[in-house]
């Protein structure tokens, strides 16, 4: 099995990056990941104000996936996530949903054991490991790993965990996949701008869907297919997500627009991924009994 | 048991309305409800363009709840919802999330049987009956039943179903409660602007929490307490919902702001109620293991 160590790190998605590793479809690959703070933060020593921001939001990679070309879809299977025994959460003034309030920067360590994240001695949550940043190189230029778009990126979708498959449109030869920003647990919204940030190891494999390319990333879980969109506001991102879901339902059922639109109102949940980055992320979630991967990925 | 028939209908929440009925706390009361279209629409005859909009979005009531005064909280227990065998969905040009697209008005009937909503012969969903409009009179003036606010109103929260308790701030003597806009099923977002609209019967009872008044409606289900807010955009509504949740967590755990804000990022889901009315609705959902009703309702 190939292993990509956590020193193989990029801070942007770009066709210009030299691959850190090459893999074939179906081959397993293990990515070591730094945490989103580049492992600079602890609750004891580093003050958040002295952070070197050039070392934040790194992603491990890029991985060149053999036989992948522009116009294909890259299917990313998340097979295992191994968490450490400790995570970090931080609040930073002027950041997050409540940035309008006056507050101090603060850092808190949480311990992770028995599949629980221990926030306080008497306050613990079930760990739900997930990958915050996951994507491919855009057609040209470079996109910072801290942001998101049609190429994926810092989408912060809480279902991006073990057992899920992410479908990403491929824009360059080999896709140039990278991932980072691992979270032990995060709620919809990621409201304070950080989650339980952890380093860790992620086991992946890839498949290629030749000649199909969805307009937005699509996330498959056991229950649903979700269209992952983003825009300057949640309201605008909702339009894009619903549009993608309605068009997929039209393809699947051979419905006209009006019928698919009605059905979406009954069956498609519009959910918030994160509301704290300059681009807000939304997902339109369609139960799998009503939609196949094939229809989800396009005509 | 008292019964309020569906001819006892208001089109606004207002202290000026004469009560349709008086009830004591803990007394059961059955509300008959028209559907949101005032039962004017069928898929056979009525065209949506000829709708009399003055008869749309009615709410049954108002109910004067004895011993309730401004500054209290009204607890509304939803005990039973009885659905009919048929519902209506409609799409209307220039309405809903995809109002930017060109499409025709359309009406569709769905049949409801065996706790399923039959959209097509081979496409059915589990019925999840819920009340779209539910609220009390505001301190002054009148608020159309088609909109929403701190008094409740057309919140369109899909968990507003059997077993849930809604806590509403009381602004006038007797609260002057009313409810309508029953849905057999609706997804988060209510994206086409209507759900599976049904008439029906709702069995309720009330409790009063004296001298406590939350700043926003709070919805208790078996699993969670949700703060129901609204604003001109989802982004703005999210700020209000997260603020309400964070302040409640501060009260509950005696945490400072920074700690409660961090915890919310891990544990509080920000969800979309509806994104299709002029005021968008959002809820911040806190699992009940981390919050009591008492802390949720205020200091």
């Amino acid at each position: 099995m190939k292993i990509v160590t956590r020193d193989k790190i990029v801070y942007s998605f770009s066709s210009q990056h030299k691959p850190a590793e090459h893999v074939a479809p179906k081959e397993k690959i293990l990515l070591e990941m730094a945490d989103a703070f580049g492992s600079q933060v602890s609750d004891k020593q580093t003050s958040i104000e002295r952070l070197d921001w050039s070392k934040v939001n790194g992603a491990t990679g890029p991985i060149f996936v053999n036989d992948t070309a522009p116009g294909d879809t890259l299917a990313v299977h998340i097979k295992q996530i191994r968490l450490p025994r400790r995570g970090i959460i931080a609040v930073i003034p002027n950041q997050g949903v409540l940035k309008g309030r006056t507050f101090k920067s603060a850092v808190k360590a949480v311990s992770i054991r028995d599949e629980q994240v221990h926030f306080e001695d008497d306050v613990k949550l079930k760990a739900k490991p997930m990958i915050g940043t996951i994507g491919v190189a855009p057609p040209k230029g470079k996109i910072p790993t801290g942001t998101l778009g049609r190429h994926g990126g810092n989408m912060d979708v809480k279902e991006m965990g073990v057992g899920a498959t992410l479908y990403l449109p491929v824009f360059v030869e080999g896709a140039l996949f990278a991932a980072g920003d691992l979270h032990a647990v995060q709620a919809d919204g990621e409201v304070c701008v950080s989650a339980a940030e952890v380093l860790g190891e992620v086991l992946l494999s890839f498949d290629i869907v030749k000649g199909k390319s969805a307009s937005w990333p699509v996330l498959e879980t056991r229950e649903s297919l979700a269209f992952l969109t983003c825009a300057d506001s949640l309201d605008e991102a909702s339009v894009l997500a619903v549009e993608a879901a309605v068009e997929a339902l039209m393809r699947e059922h051979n419905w006209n627009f009006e019928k698919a639109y009605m059905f979406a109102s009954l069956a498609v949940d519009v959910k918030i991924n994160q509301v704290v980055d300059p681009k807000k992320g939304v997902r339109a979630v369609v139960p799998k009994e009503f939609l196949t991967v094939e229809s989800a990925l396009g005509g």
Side-chain angles (χ1 to χ4, degrees), chain A:
Chain A
M1 185 178 63
K2 285 173 176 165
I3 296 175
V4 185
T5 51
R6 64 174 61 87
D7 56 304
K8 300 285 194 298
I9 197 162
V10 288
Y11 297 96
S12 62
F13 291 96
S14 168
S15 63
Q16 302 306 307
H17 293 311
K18 204 181 143 212
E21 188 57 272
H22 291 67
V23 291
K26 303 204 186 297
E27 191 179 353
K28 283 184 187 164
I29 183 164
L30 185 82
L31 271 62
E32 291 182 1
M33 293 179 186
D35 73 27
F37 298 117
S39 303
Q40 299 177 79
V41 177
S42 80
D43 58 337
K44 300 244 170 79
Q45 293 128 352
T46 316
S47 116
I48 202 89
E49 282 86 358
R50 276 178 290 173
L51 214 57
D52 177 353
W53 286 91
S54 74
K55 290 181 181 159
V56 162
N57 279 324
T60 301
I63 316 298
F64 186 102
V65 184
N66 298 340
D67 310 323
T68 310
D72 296 342
T73 290
L74 182 69
V76 186
H77 306 293
I78 306 171
K79 296 185 157 306
Q80 280 178 29
I81 298 179
R82 191 162 165 193
L83 294 181
R85 293 165 68 178
R86 189 167 175 282
I88 287 285
I89 318 167
V91 290
I92 303 164
N94 303 311
Q95 294 283 334
V97 172
L98 302 184
K99 62 187 173 189
R101 291 186 57 146
T102 303
F103 59 92
K104 297 194 289 272
S105 67
V107 173
K108 184 169 168 44
V110 292
S111 69
I112 303 163
R113 55 181 194 274
D114 306 327
E115 298 184 9
Q116 303 267 348
V117 175
H118 295 252
F119 185 79
E120 301 270 271
D121 285 343
D122 56 344
V123 180
K124 59 192 181 193
L125 307 94
K126 193 174 178 339
K128 291 184 186 164
M130 52 155 278
I131 303 169
T133 297
I134 183 164
V136 294
K140 55 184 177 177
K142 61 181 185 179
I143 300 179
T145 43
T147 187
L148 63 160
R150 290 176 189 269
H151 70 293
N154 187 20
M155 296 187 288
D156 289 320
V157 182
K158 72 175 185 180
E159 281 99 12
M160 196 74 71
V162 172
T165 296
L166 175 66
Y167 299 91
L168 290 165
V170 175
F171 301 108
V172 305
E173 291 291 328
L176 296 180
F177 171 90
D181 190 26
L182 204 59
H183 298 159
V185 66
Q186 178 215 299
D188 277 345
E190 203 193 17
V191 299
C192 91
V193 96
S194 69
E197 307 291 340
V198 285
L199 52 75
E201 294 172 0
V202 175
L203 186 67
L204 301 171
S205 72
F206 301 99
D207 273 310
I208 303 166
V209 184
K210 293 305 289 182
K212 269 213 173 204
S213 198
S215 49
W216 290 99
V218 174
L219 180 63
E220 180 180 11
T221 63
R222 196 165 56 179
E223 299 84 19
S224 63
L225 287 158
F227 297 87
L228 313 179
T229 61
C230 66
D232 292 340
S233 70
L234 292 174
D235 299 71
E236 292 166 90
S238 298
V239 174
L240 301 171
V242 172
E243 195 152 53
V246 165
E247 286 173 355
L249 287 166
M250 290 169 70
R251 286 191 292 271
E252 174 82 29
H253 298 279
N254 202 21
W255 283 340
N256 64 16
F257 173 83
E258 289 79 3
K259 194 176 277 188
Y261 192 24
M262 286 178 183
F263 185 71
S265 210
L266 306 186
V268 177
D269 284 321
V270 187
K271 294 189 175 190
I272 295 169
N273 301 333
Q274 56 75 23
V275 58
V276 293
D277 289 335
K279 292 271 183 201
K280 319 301 182 202
V282 156
R283 63 193 186 279
V285 183
V286 188
K288 273 161 92 171
E289 60 187 300
F290 306 123
L291 187 63
T292 56
V293 171
E294 192 177 11
S295 295
L297 295 184

